[in-house]
Amino acid sequence: MSKQAVPDVITNDDVKEIKHFYDNVYHANAEGEHADFSSHYSALYRRLGIQQGSRVLDVACGTGGWLQICHDSGCEVSGVDISDRAIDLCRERLPSGAFHAQPAETLPFEENSFNLVSCLGSLEHFIDPLACLMEMRRVAKPDALLVILVPNKDFLTRKLGLFGGTYQVDAKEVVRTLPEWQALFHAAGLNVQERWRDLHVLNRHWIMRGSKASWPLRFAQAAALPFWPLKWQYQVYHRCSIQSHGGD
């Protein structure tokens, strides 16, 4: 197991502190979240080729923007998030779904339950990402698809000193290189089948976030991402399968 895969010790104080951040800061204005990302989620759904009737679990589901697309396309949806506020909103928008407010390191589902398990842009914020990945593998069916979106430590803008992380660093944020992420996935019993760049920042909402002085840089960055190689990307999707008993 790589050094990055060594789990942290989870304490109640850690959970309470992170939960407070997501309830009172990150999701403080949660009602309008994901409004600008529906087209991005729809494109992701089409790319994954998800079949109607599939059972989908989203880990760190937030307010359910991705699960809304899955539900509207005929899937049975479930979600877990540490934020009570986010989960309350999920239950309002998707009353037929199964939602739980708790840390992702333990998932309240039986093994071999889901056709698709996703974790989109959240694994870097977990206290014990390896434990979460192993739980995702446990609840996934043997032939399930696992889709994980993670940030890249070698992101060019970061390497140039122009980006220091998201404001979620106030809670917890551990960013890894793509080889380090792949080693972590392998340690959890997952095989990476495909990787591709995340281009959700190609929208007006992301570019015009923050002060006006930052808009030109954000626009230039968004415009450059489609042309940068994978190793320089901001975030990267990983399509994974469960390893066979031989680890292949």
Side-chain angles (χ1 to χ4, degrees):
M1 185 181 296
S2 66
K3 182 177 180 181
Q4 289 79 10
V6 175
D8 294 319
V9 175
I10 303 174
T11 69
N12 288 334
D13 287 342
D14 291 330
V15 173
K16 288 179 180 178
E17 183 176 348
I18 293 173
K19 182 183 182 311
H20 182 271
F21 172 84
Y22 283 99
D23 277 336
N24 297 283
V25 179
Y26 189 75
H27 293 301
N29 299 300
E31 288 81 358
E33 287 181 9
H34 301 298
D36 294 295
F37 299 128
S38 59
S39 61
H40 171 72
Y41 289 139
S42 295
L44 176 62
Y45 185 91
R46 293 191 297 271
R47 178 175 186 132
L48 296 177
I50 305 169
Q51 297 183 357
Q52 287 189 1
S54 293
R55 297 195 68 200
V56 177
L57 168 64
D58 192 27
V59 179
C61 60
T63 58
W66 161 238
L67 289 178
Q68 181 78 64
I69 297 297
C70 295
H71 172 270
D72 292 349
S73 300
C75 295
E76 180 181 339
V77 299
S78 300
V80 169
D81 198 280
I82 199 170
S83 169
D84 288 318
R85 181 169 174 76
I87 290 299
D88 286 345
L89 289 169
C90 283
R91 288 169 175 159
E92 288 179 14
R93 74 189 297 177
L94 296 166
S96 64
F99 295 99
H100 301 269
Q102 65 176 75
E105 286 79 4
T106 56
L107 297 176
F109 304 102
E110 295 182 357
E111 63 183 40
N112 303 332
S113 294
F114 296 97
N115 305 102
L116 170 67
V117 182
S118 57
C119 183
L120 306 181
S122 299
L123 193 61
E124 67 274 18
H125 305 302
F126 295 164
I127 296 172
D128 188 345
L130 178 60
C132 175
L133 289 168
M134 295 180 70
E135 278 288 273
M136 290 169 61
R137 184 193 67 185
R138 180 185 66 80
V139 302
K141 295 183 178 181
D143 60 348
L145 170 65
L146 295 95
V147 180
I148 307 166
L149 176 64
V150 288
N152 175 20
K153 190 175 182 180
D154 288 330
F155 174 40
L156 182 58
T157 306
R158 179 190 292 272
K159 291 175 75 70
L160 293 174
L162 300 175
F163 177 70
T166 72
Y167 72 97
Q168 293 178 74
V169 73
D170 291 341
K172 182 179 177 65
E173 186 167 275
V174 178
V175 180
R176 294 168 168 83
T177 65
L178 297 183
E180 288 171 343
W181 282 120
Q182 184 148 336
L184 186 65
F185 298 151
H186 190 270
L190 304 178
N191 284 326
V192 177
Q193 298 180 321
E194 182 186 11
R195 300 184 300 181
W196 67 93
R197 57 176 58 87
D198 167 39
L199 298 178
H200 83 274
V201 299
L202 299 182
N203 68 76
R204 180 173 174 270
H205 172 81
W206 186 87
I207 291 170
M208 300 180 68
R209 184 183 302 169
S211 67
K212 289 186 177 181
S214 69
W215 292 0
L217 178 61
R218 296 174 75 87
F219 175 81
Q221 177 178 293
L225 282 178
F227 305 100
W228 285 353
L230 198 67
K231 65 181 180 180
W232 288 354
Q233 290 297 313
Y234 169 44
Q235 295 189 120
V236 175
Y237 280 101
H238 293 72
R239 179 198 294 258
C240 301
S241 61
I242 296 174
Q243 290 176 6
S244 65
H245 291 300
D248 297 329

